[in-house]
Amino acid sequence: MIQEKESIGKSKWDLDTPALVVDLDKMERNIKAVHTRLQGTGVGVRPHIKTHKSPAIAKMQIAAGALGVCAAKLGEAEVMLENGIDSVLLTTVNVTASKIVKSMALRKKHNGFIQAVDNPQNIQDLQDAAKAASIVADVVLDIDVIKRSGVAPGEPALALAHMIDKMPNLKFCGILAYDGTVQHVVGFKERQAQALKTYEPIVRTYELMKAAGLNMEIFSGGGTGTYDIMSVVPGFTDVQVGSYVFMDRQYIEIGGANNEKVFDDFEPSLTVMTTILNNYHPGRLTTDSGSKAFTLNQPSPLVLGEPDYNYIAAADEYGVITFEKSNKSYIVGEKLEIIPPHCDPIVNLYDVIYGVRNERVESVIEVLGRGKSQ
C-alpha cells in the first residue's frame, strides 16, 4: 500500500497500468441516486458488496441510507463485519461444518450478521451450532427463483419457515429471492414483465408465511437491473443492488425506464487505465491489459473516446484493439481509459481502486475482500 498511496495527487494518466480507477464524483452520485429514486416507494437498499469488496465503499453506502449490505461469501461477510459494517446479510447457504462453526462465531461477535438457509439438514445444523455457541442466530430462507439455490416456493418453503421458527436457537427473519436471469434483459418493459412474472410464486409464498403469522421483516431480492421495478411486489423490503455503484457495459446496454437504448439511471464510474504497447499494424493496437485485467470479453470493453474500437482481452497480459475508424493516431506509451464489460469479477483482480476526482488521485481504496471466495 505504501507505493499505491504515493500515487495520491497524481494524474490518473500517470498511473502505472493496468490500473483500476473510480471517478469519485460519479460514484457518489450513483450512491445518492438509488435512494433518491426509491424515495417514497417503501423499498430500502441493501447493496451487494460482491461488486466492490471494499469496506470503505460499503461505509459510503451505509452513510447514504442503506439498511446494511449483502455478501455472497462468508469470507466477504467477515471482511465487512471486521471492518466496521454492522449489518451483513449472507446470501449464500453455508453447508460445511467448518463454515457453519465459523459463521456462528461471527454471529456471536456481530449481532447484525444474518445467514441464509434453504434445506432441512442445514436448518438443523445451524440450530446445533447456534446452541453450541450459546446464541440465537438470525436466518432468512432462500427461495428458489432461477434453479440455482433456494427451496421451491409455496408449501415446501412454508414448511421450512415453520421448521426454522420452531428452533430455539434460530430466529426466522423472512425471505430472500434473487432473480439474476432478468437483470440484463434488454428493454425496460420486457424486463419489468419478466421480473414481475417470475416473482408471482414468491409473492404467494410471502402471503402464505404472512398469513401463518411468521416474522416477515425481510423480503429481499432484486438488483441493479430491476431496482425500480420491485416496489410493486407486495411485502418487498429491499433491493440487493450491486453494480449500480460502478456500472459497466453489460448494464449500460439494457436500457432504462426513461431511455430504452441506454440504461443511464447511473453513471459509469469504474474504468481501467491501460497503456499502448504496440502500434506497428494498421487498424490494430496492442495494450498491456488482457484477461488478467478484464476477465471477460462479452460484451467487449468500451474504449472511452473511441466508439469504433473493438477491444478484446486477447491473452493473459495483452489486449488487442482493432478498428477501421480512429479519432486520432496513438503512439506507444499513450494511455487509454476503458469501461469494463462486467465490474464484479474485474474488481476481484485488483488490490486497490484509485479514487479520482478531477482526474487526480484523491484516495486509494483497498479491495479487502479480494480473493475471499470461500
Side-chain angles (χ1 to χ4, degrees):
M1 276 295 294
I2 294 175
Q3 181 178 353
E4 286 85 354
K5 287 188 176 179
E6 289 176 351
S7 299
I8 291 177
K10 278 187 178 181
S11 166
K12 67 181 180 182
W13 300 102
D14 292 332
L15 291 171
D16 285 334
T17 62
L20 193 62
V21 168
V22 65
D23 184 305
L24 294 171
D25 288 328
K26 292 178 180 179
M27 182 176 70
E28 289 164 4
R29 287 196 292 267
N30 289 344
I31 291 172
K32 181 179 179 180
V34 73
H35 293 280
T36 300
R37 291 178 178 135
L38 289 175
Q39 190 172 9
T41 67
V43 173
V45 177
R46 200 185 301 265
H48 215 307
I49 61 88
K50 67 185 177 69
T51 297
H52 55 70
K53 290 176 171 280
S54 167
I57 295 176
K59 288 175 183 177
M60 295 171 65
Q61 293 171 315
I62 297 289
L67 303 173
V69 300
C70 294
K73 300 289 186 171
L74 187 60
E76 291 176 340
E78 183 179 23
V79 166
M80 293 295 137
L81 291 165
E82 296 293 329
N83 286 277
I85 306 303
D86 295 330
S87 179
V88 179
L89 171 61
L90 183 64
T91 59
T92 304
V93 175
N94 291 319
V95 298
T96 61
S98 59
K99 284 187 178 180
I100 290 171
V101 170
K102 185 175 182 179
S103 71
M104 290 306 169
L106 278 175
R107 174 60 182 83
K108 191 166 187 174
K109 190 175 180 181
H110 303 280
N111 290 333
F113 182 43
I114 308 167
Q115 303 171 60
V117 64
D118 72 357
N119 70 80
Q121 183 60 55
N122 195 218
I123 293 170
Q124 187 60 58
D125 290 343
L126 291 179
Q127 160 60 30
D128 294 343
K131 183 178 179 180
S134 301
I135 61 171
V136 174
D138 293 342
V139 298
V140 289
L141 186 63
D142 185 16
I143 310 296
D144 182 13
V145 184
I146 55 176
K147 297 181 179 179
R148 183 176 68 183
S149 66
V151 62
E155 292 297 333
L158 181 62
L160 289 193
H162 280 302
M163 181 179 177
I164 297 167
D165 197 46
K166 292 175 182 177
M167 294 292 176
N169 294 89
L170 300 180
K171 178 187 176 184
F172 181 70
C173 295
I175 60 175
L176 61 87
Y178 176 66
D179 188 350
T181 60
V182 303
Q183 298 304 318
H184 293 93
V185 170
V186 176
F188 177 80
K189 291 180 180 178
E190 180 62 25
R191 189 163 65 253
Q192 181 183 49
Q194 289 192 33
L196 297 180
K197 182 69 175 177
T198 300
Y199 265 84
E200 287 177 359
I202 311 301
V203 170
R204 289 194 292 270
T205 304
Y206 165 82
E207 291 171 344
L208 283 172
M209 292 179 179
K210 191 77 172 176
L214 292 162
N215 176 28
M216 300 303 294
E217 63 186 270
I218 295 175
F219 181 0
S220 183
T224 298
T226 57
Y227 87 99
D228 53 351
I229 293 170
M230 306 309 293
S231 63
V232 300
V233 175
F236 194 82
T237 59
D238 56 87
V239 286
Q240 298 177 7
V241 287
S243 298
Y244 83 104
V245 72
F246 291 150
M247 295 299 287
D248 51 39
R249 185 169 185 177
Q250 286 186 356
Y251 269 116
I252 291 169
E253 294 181 346
I254 67 171
N258 299 314
N259 187 338
E260 280 290 327
K261 293 184 178 180
V262 178
F263 185 32
D264 56 8
D265 294 37
F266 309 106
E267 302 172 67
S269 66
L270 190 77
T271 54
V272 175
M273 306 301 297
T274 186
T275 300
I276 296 169
L277 301 180
N278 186 291
N279 65 350
Y280 278 129
H281 304 282
R284 186 181 180 94
L285 298 170
T286 302
T287 77
D288 64 354
S289 302
S291 62
K292 290 181 181 177
F294 287 106
T295 73
L296 299 176
N297 281 317
Q298 294 297 326
S300 62
L302 283 171
V303 181
L304 288 179
E306 295 289 359
D308 295 310
Y309 276 19
N310 180 41
Y311 194 111
I312 299 175
D316 288 353
E317 312 296 350
Y318 295 99
V320 171
I321 297 170
T322 55
F323 57 90
E324 294 183 1
K325 291 172 57 180
S326 182
N327 287 327
K328 60 169 285 188
S329 296
Y330 292 92
I331 63 173
V332 170
E334 278 195 87
K335 292 186 173 73
L336 297 169
E337 190 171 12
I338 319 292
I339 295 175
H342 183 31
C343 54
D344 296 8
I346 285 177
V347 170
N348 197 47
L349 300 174
Y350 294 84
D351 291 325
V352 300
I353 307 170
Y354 293 97
V356 171
R357 207 182 302 273
N358 299 320
E359 296 203 342
R360 294 203 168 270
V361 178
E362 180 179 292
S363 60
V364 179
I365 303 166
E366 293 184 86
V367 186
L368 295 180
R370 181 187 181 188
K372 302 294 184 181
S373 58
Q374 295 182 336

